[in-house]
Structures are given as structure tokens and as C-alpha cells.
Amino acid sequence: MIDINKAIESLDWSKEPKGLYEPIAYTLASGGKRLRPTLALIASALFGGNEEDVLPAALALEVFHNFTLLHDDVMDRAAVRRGRPTVHVKWDDNTAILSGDQMLIEAYRLLSGVPADKLPQVLKWFNEMATGICEGQQYDVDFEHMEEVSIADYMKMIELKTSVLLANALRTGGYIAGANEAQQQALYLFGLHIGLAFQIQDDILDVYGDPKTFGKAIGGDICCNKKTLLLLTALQTADAASRDELNQWLSVNDRPEEKIAAVTALYNRLGVREAAEAVMEEHTALALKQLEQLPQNAACEQLRQLAAKLITRKS
Amino acid sequence: MIDINKAIESLDWSKEPKGLYEPIAYTLASGGKRLRPTLALIASALFGGNEEDVLPAALALEVFHNFTLLHDDVMDRAAVRRGRPTVHVKWDDNTAILSGDQMLIEAYRLLSGVPADKLPQVLKWFNEMATGICEGQQYDVDFEHMEEVSIADYMKMIELKTSVLLANALRTGGYIAGANEAQQQALYLFGLHIGLAFQIQDDILDVYGDPKTFGKAIGGDICCNKKTLLLLTALQTADAASRDELNQWLSVNDRPEEKIAAVTALYNRLGVREAAEAVMEEHTALALKQLEQLPQNAACEQLRQLAAKLITRKS
């Protein structure tokens, strides 16, 4: 398979004006799992597709993903991403906004390199995906100001914010390589469910991850009262005394270390981690079920292993 | 010709989440000249094109233009646009960033509605145009921190920031309607030159406009030492005493009314307005020259009138 890191490195950002392109180079050079382009390429391999045909879409999806991180970090005032200062910290907010805009445009530029007969459908799906992700981000913001958020609403939000990108990467790769409609749908659903499992694992790692491998500060979600699956499950399953204790900690803004320790202890007592892991495993199982409808070849095995790896990852 | 305002009004933004879509509806409902879609439609009419074929691109260009205004207003901390509070003032910065992102995606969604056989070329041009505009915005930012900016660099910047969008609107409209390559090129150059004339008129209006019709505060550019054609011409043509006086005013930050009055008086003394008007008229003439290569019909006459109107406009 094409080395996706090399393909990303080969994109040329040594252009003028430097103030626009250097933050893009910086963002794309900061690593990450390259999960989305990898999924697109594996989905293509499932059907013996030509890698060169799917590569433009694979790169577009990775650049798009990094664009969302860049703008999300401004909106969330996040200072660190993948162990490095975020763009709005290293440069400033305006740079992050404008270079982010340009990254979104670059994603479309890359996408336009797919075979012309496939472009209308690929572009349509890409637009739907991008819209879903913006909607998901907006729901995420809305939830911050809402008293109560149901677990169902939370799952819908993370489906939009995380899953549709993975789902679309898989469907697009398969479609370009000649998958039929049922197979496109199976790939899409596989992506949706591993996306949900992936995001739940993210919520878990934010509390229980190893600071050495996680790349972000541990407990960030607890500090800012982020309504994650862990917090929503805790609020829903706690007895009155525990819920009072939890709500009290939610009103604390000035003692982050103490807050993280206390809320984590509460989560432990309530078995919140295990509950979240059960939901994650349920979605992993639903994802794996979709694979039955796909060609049982080496690429399919790769998807199976990838799903298993996602839920045991450390970063 | 299709009523472009009605076509924009018919776009549906009554979707969830409201926090994402209401600012888009607000931005698009705030009027403006609808110049870009109008140019695309006239260019199509030049060749007897089907309006329905070009409308998706015309709308995409207008939505894209409004996206750039939305994000530019955040970056410039502009409080008023078209006589109304900007999105980041009425809502907040994060809303302006995210709804702006979604507008950019909506522009691509609209664009994808052009006839499939025309889509690859139209998309490629759109991406190049969008990139040019981001580069122009970055140069504009860079110029703020530069000691000296040449008039040539300034003209290149406004070509990117303003002209390529008008040029591409015309070329895209013509291309979809069947213009040949020479005609596409003539339309593009017509757009480039009226764009330059348009932006110079904008610089002039910012100083000499009527506050009742201009929609923005008069003297905004002077207040923030914006390197407009007027300021660059003044710095370049002033005698030593006038230049010293001008530089002294450039270091004043706390007396805006006095500063505007003094710098305007200096401009008057130096004949800067007349010099800028001469450059504007030169580009208008270059634009009109391009029209000779196009079908001499009613649509061509519309372009001729539009060019004349742009340089006598009041807002």
C-alpha cells in the first residue's frame, strides 16, 4: 500500500505567502494516526482498486480532518495538540482561522483529483460529511450550555463529529474502486460504528490514559465539565449522594488537580469506565458484523484488526 | 434574468442546529450588491446560456463571497457590515468561525450542482480562486506589519483579494454557457480590471464616501493606518515636510476624528484622490477593451454599463 505519511510529506507548502502556508505544513507534519486516508486506501484494496485513483480523496480527507482540528482548537482554546503547541498559540487566532480556511480549500483541491466520472458523487458525499461535522461541532458547543443532555443526543453528536468522516472515508475508497451499493453501505456503517467506539475510547483515555502516550493533558474533559459519555453516564446512574457530590465538583473552577482526582474517584466508584467500555464494545461488534458483507480478503482482515486495535489504543 | 435576490432568499437555512445556520441566514439576508452572481449570469447570457445551468455556480460564488466577509470581519475586528452588527459581534467569535466554515462548505455544495461535464473545470477554477483570495488576505495582514509596501505589491494583493473572484465569476458563467477559450480569457481579464477599479473605489469611498450611503464608518482605513492606494500614493508623492506630517499622524492612536480630518486634508493637498481616480479609470478602460472580443449583444452592453456604474458608485 502507498505510504500515506510519505504522500502527505510530498505535498508542497513552501509557497508564498509563508504566513498562510507554514501553519498548514506545521499542522500536517505533526503526525497523528492517518486513520482516515488509511481507511480509504484499505476500502479501495478490498475491491482491488487502483491506489492512484483513491489517493486524492484519501489526502483530501486527511487535510480536511486536520482543518477541523485547527479550527476546533481555536474555538476550544486548546493549547496543545499531539504534544505540540496549537497553531493559534504558536502563531495567533487570525492565522489559525485563515490557514484553516485555506486547508479546507486545499482539501477540495485534492479531492478534485479523483477520476472525473467519480467526482460528482465523491464531492456530494464529501460536502454532506463536512456539513455533518460542522453540525456536530455546533451541537457539541450547544451541549456546553444545556442543563441536561441525553446519552442519545450525545451519541448523535459524536456520530456527526467523528463517525461520518471515518464512514465517508471508507465508502469513498470503496466507491472509487468499484464497490456496489450494498458494499458502500456496509463500509459506511462499519465506519459509523468504529467511529462511535473510537470517540468513546477518546473519552475514556482523557480520564484514564497514560499522560506519556496520550499527547494531551489528562483530565481536560473533567476540568471543563465536558459532557462526555463518562460524565453523562455518571449523572444518570449515580445515587442521590454521589450525584450531589458530582454536581458540587462541577461547580469548582479553581482547583483542577483536586477536581480531576475527585471526579475520577467518583467515576471509579460508579463503574462508569466499565459502562463506557461496554458501549464501545457493542459498537465494535456492530462494526465487525458489517464486514461479513464484504469480500473476505486481506484488506477485510486489515479492517478487522484495525477495529480491534482502536479499542485497545493508548493514544 | 433570474432574480438573484429571490434565488438567494429561497435557500433554506431553517435547519438544526440553529446556532450554525442562523448566522448564515443573517449574513446572506443583509443584502449587498450581489455583484458576483450577477456577473456570472450576464456572462452566461452573453452566449445564450441556460440560466439554470449557471445558477448553482452563481449562488456558490455569492455564498463564498459572504463567507470571506464573515471571517475577514472576525480577523479585522470589524463591528459593522452593511449597516448591521457583524456576526462575531451579534453572536461571538466561535460562531463566526464555525458558521463561516459551514458557508464555505455550502458554497461547494451549491457549486456541485453545475452540469456534471462542466464540474471538473468549474471546481478547479473555484479552488484556484479561493486560494488566491486567502493568499490576498494573508498579504493584506502581512502588509500591516511591513514598513514599506510598494504600489505594485498593493495592486497584486487587491487583485488576489478582490479581482479573482469577479474574474472567475465571469469566466465560469461564460464557460458553462459555451464560451471558447479566448472569450473565457477576455471575461477573466475584464473581471480582473473591474475588480481593481472596484477596490480602488472602495479605498476612495472609505475616505470620501457619504456616511449615509456607504454602510461603514468613514475614515476607518485612516484610523488603523491601512495601507490603501491613497496612503501609499501619499507616502510616495509627498514632499519631505508633508511626509513627516503624515508619519506623525500615523503614530497617533487616540484621537480618531482629528486624525481622519488631518490625513484627509493632507490627501486633498497632495491630490491623492485624483491620482487614485486616474488609476481606477485606467483599469476601467482596460476592462472595457476586453469587451471587444465578446459578442456585441445586450449582455455585453450590461457589462459595459456595470463597469461605468462601479466607478461612480456611492456604496
Side-chain angles (χ1 to χ4, degrees):
Chain A
M1 200 164 83
I2 287 176
D3 183 330
I4 196 69
N5 275 308
K6 278 210 180 124
I8 289 163
E9 277 165 32
S10 74
L11 298 172
D12 179 21
W13 308 110
S14 61
K15 294 181 276 191
E16 297 284 344
K18 293 201 192 311
L20 184 66
Y21 291 111
E22 279 181 354
I24 298 178
Y26 175 81
T27 301
L28 288 172
S30 73
K33 289 172 282 292
R34 311 301 192 200
L35 178 59
R36 291 136 193 97
T38 302
L39 289 174
L41 289 169
I42 297 176
S44 165
L46 260 176
F47 303 95
N50 181 350
E51 288 193 329
E52 296 296 332
D53 287 346
V54 79
L55 186 62
L59 292 172
L61 291 158
E62 181 66 11
V63 171
F64 178 84
H65 171 59
N66 280 273
F67 142 74
T68 66
L69 300 181
L70 214 173
H71 275 191
D72 282 4
D73 284 341
V74 180
M75 294 187 264
D76 299 342
R77 311 312 306 161
V80 177
R81 163 78 64 184
R82 295 170 183 156
R84 307 204 300 172
T86 48
V87 169
H88 72 97
V89 167
K90 191 172 160 74
W91 283 272
D92 53 33
D93 281 14
N94 284 2
T95 301
I97 294 171
L98 189 62
S99 291
D101 291 346
Q102 181 55 27
M103 276 182 98
L104 177 49
I105 293 159
E106 296 283 355
Y108 279 103
R109 183 181 61 77
L110 288 161
L111 195 72
S112 70
V114 303
D117 62 320
K118 298 284 174 21
L119 182 60
Q121 179 65 76
V122 168
L123 179 60
K124 182 170 179 283
W125 281 339
F126 193 92
N127 290 331
E128 287 168 4
M129 169 201 83
T131 293
I133 289 161
C134 286
E135 290 179 352
Q137 171 68 8
Q138 182 64 45
Y139 282 121
D140 200 10
V141 170
D142 290 345
F143 288 177
E144 278 176 41
H145 311 288
M146 280 164 61
E147 274 288 305
E148 255 179 83
V149 173
S150 71
I151 288 179
D153 283 345
Y154 176 76
M155 295 302 288
K156 185 72 203 163
M157 183 275 284
I158 63 173
E159 179 178 320
L160 288 168
K161 205 175 156 173
T162 303
S163 294
V164 296
L165 182 39
L166 306 184
N168 190 52
L170 287 152
R171 180 174 59 179
T172 298
Y175 168 74
I176 293 174
N180 67 32
E181 280 188 36
Q183 292 163 330
Q184 292 165 27
Q185 179 68 1
L187 282 167
Y188 193 81
L189 291 175
F190 172 80
L192 274 195
H193 288 296
I194 61 162
L196 295 175
F198 182 84
Q199 183 57 49
I200 294 168
Q201 176 72 334
D202 227 43
D203 289 358
I204 295 170
L205 285 173
D206 199 89
V207 179
Y208 294 103
D210 179 342
K212 280 184 223 126
T213 53
F214 186 50
K216 286 188 281 191
I218 295 296
D221 289 347
I222 291 176
C223 276
C224 68
N225 300 341
K226 194 160 172 65
K227 295 188 183 75
T228 66
L229 185 60
L230 302 182
L231 177 55
L232 297 175
T233 304
L235 286 167
Q236 205 170 72
T237 58
D239 54 287
S242 298
R243 189 159 50 236
D244 284 352
E245 194 189 332
L246 186 53
N247 278 320
Q248 219 154 6
W249 278 111
L250 292 179
S251 66
V252 170
N253 294 314
D254 56 346
R255 289 168 286 153
E257 285 178 32
E258 221 179 310
K259 179 171 176 175
I260 292 168
V263 173
T264 304
L266 253 163
Y267 284 177
N268 292 341
R269 214 165 68 214
L270 293 165
V272 158
R273 179 182 186 166
E274 291 71 20
E277 282 174 346
V279 179
M280 180 173 75
E281 279 155 23
E282 184 194 328
H283 284 289
T284 307
L286 286 167
L288 292 173
K289 186 117 190 70
Q290 296 296 325
L291 297 184
E292 293 167 14
Q293 294 180 59
L294 298 172
Q296 300 300 309
N297 55 21
C300 193
E301 191 48 39
Q302 269 186 290
L303 291 181
R304 200 168 276 120
Q305 283 171 15
L306 208 136
K309 210 169 127 190
L310 275 182
I311 62 167
T312 54
R313 75 198 162 94
K314 303 281 177 239
S315 68
Chain B
M1 201 165 80
I2 286 176
D3 183 330
I4 196 69
N5 275 307
K6 278 211 180 123
I8 289 163
E9 278 165 30
S10 73
L11 298 172
D12 179 20
W13 308 111
S14 63
K15 294 181 278 192
E16 296 286 345
K18 292 199 192 315
L20 184 66
Y21 291 111
E22 280 181 354
I24 298 178
Y26 175 82
T27 301
L28 289 172
S30 72
K33 288 171 283 291
R34 311 301 191 199
L35 178 59
R36 291 136 194 97
T38 302
L39 289 174
L41 289 168
I42 297 176
S44 166
L46 260 175
F47 303 95
N50 181 350
E51 288 193 331
E52 296 296 332
D53 287 347
V54 80
L55 185 63
L59 292 173
L61 291 158
E62 182 66 11
V63 171
F64 177 84
H65 171 59
N66 280 273
F67 143 74
T68 65
L69 300 181
L70 214 173
H71 275 192
D72 283 4
D73 284 341
V74 180
M75 295 187 263
D76 300 342
R77 311 311 308 160
V80 177
R81 164 78 63 184
R82 294 170 183 156
R84 307 204 302 172
T86 49
V87 169
H88 72 97
V89 167
K90 192 173 159 73
W91 284 271
D92 53 33
D93 281 14
N94 285 1
T95 301
I97 295 171
L98 189 63
S99 290
D101 291 345
Q102 181 55 28
M103 277 183 96
L104 176 50
I105 294 159
E106 296 283 356
Y108 279 103
R109 183 181 61 78
L110 288 161
L111 196 71
S112 70
V114 303
D117 62 319
K118 298 283 174 26
L119 181 60
Q121 179 65 75
V122 168
L123 179 60
K124 182 171 180 283
W125 281 338
F126 194 91
N127 291 332
E128 287 168 2
M129 169 201 83
T131 293
I133 290 161
C134 286
E135 290 181 352
Q137 172 68 9
Q138 182 64 45
Y139 283 121
D140 201 10
V141 171
D142 290 345
F143 288 177
E144 278 177 41
H145 310 288
M146 279 164 61
E147 275 289 304
E148 256 179 81
V149 173
S150 72
I151 287 179
D153 284 344
Y154 177 76
M155 295 302 288
K156 184 71 204 165
M157 183 275 285
I158 64 173
E159 179 178 318
L160 289 168
K161 206 176 156 172
T162 304
S163 293
V164 297
L165 182 39
L166 306 184
N168 190 52
L170 287 151
R171 180 174 59 179
T172 298
Y175 168 73
I176 293 173
N180 66 33
E181 280 187 36
Q183 292 163 330
Q184 292 165 27
Q185 179 68 1
L187 282 167
Y188 193 81
L189 290 176
F190 172 80
L192 274 194
H193 288 296
I194 60 162
L196 295 174
F198 182 84
Q199 183 57 48
I200 294 168
Q201 176 72 334
D202 227 43
D203 289 357
I204 295 169
L205 285 173
D206 199 90
V207 178
Y208 294 103
D210 180 343
K212 280 184 222 125
T213 53
F214 186 51
K216 287 188 281 189
I218 295 296
D221 290 347
I222 291 176
C223 275
C224 68
N225 299 341
K226 194 162 171 63
K227 295 188 182 76
T228 66
L229 184 61
L230 302 182
L231 178 55
L232 297 175
T233 304
L235 286 167
Q236 204 170 70
T237 58
D239 54 287
S242 297
R243 189 160 48 238
D244 284 351
E245 193 189 335
L246 186 52
N247 278 321
Q248 218 154 7
W249 278 112
L250 291 179
S251 66
V252 169
N253 294 314
D254 56 345
R255 289 167 285 154
E257 285 177 32
E258 222 178 310
K259 178 173 176 173
I260 293 168
V263 173
T264 304
L266 253 163
Y267 284 176
N268 292 342
R269 214 164 68 212
L270 294 165
V272 159
R273 179 183 187 166
E274 291 72 19
E277 282 174 347
V279 179
M280 179 172 75
E281 278 154 24
E282 183 194 328
H283 284 289
T284 307
L286 286 167
L288 292 173
K289 187 119 189 69
Q290 296 297 325
L291 297 184
E292 293 167 13
Q293 295 180 60
L294 299 173
Q296 300 301 308
N297 55 21
C300 192
E301 191 47 41
Q302 270 186 288
L303 290 182
R304 200 168 277 119
Q305 284 171 14
L306 208 136
K309 211 170 126 189
L310 275 183
I311 61 168
T312 53
R313 73 198 162 94
K314 303 280 178 237
S315 68

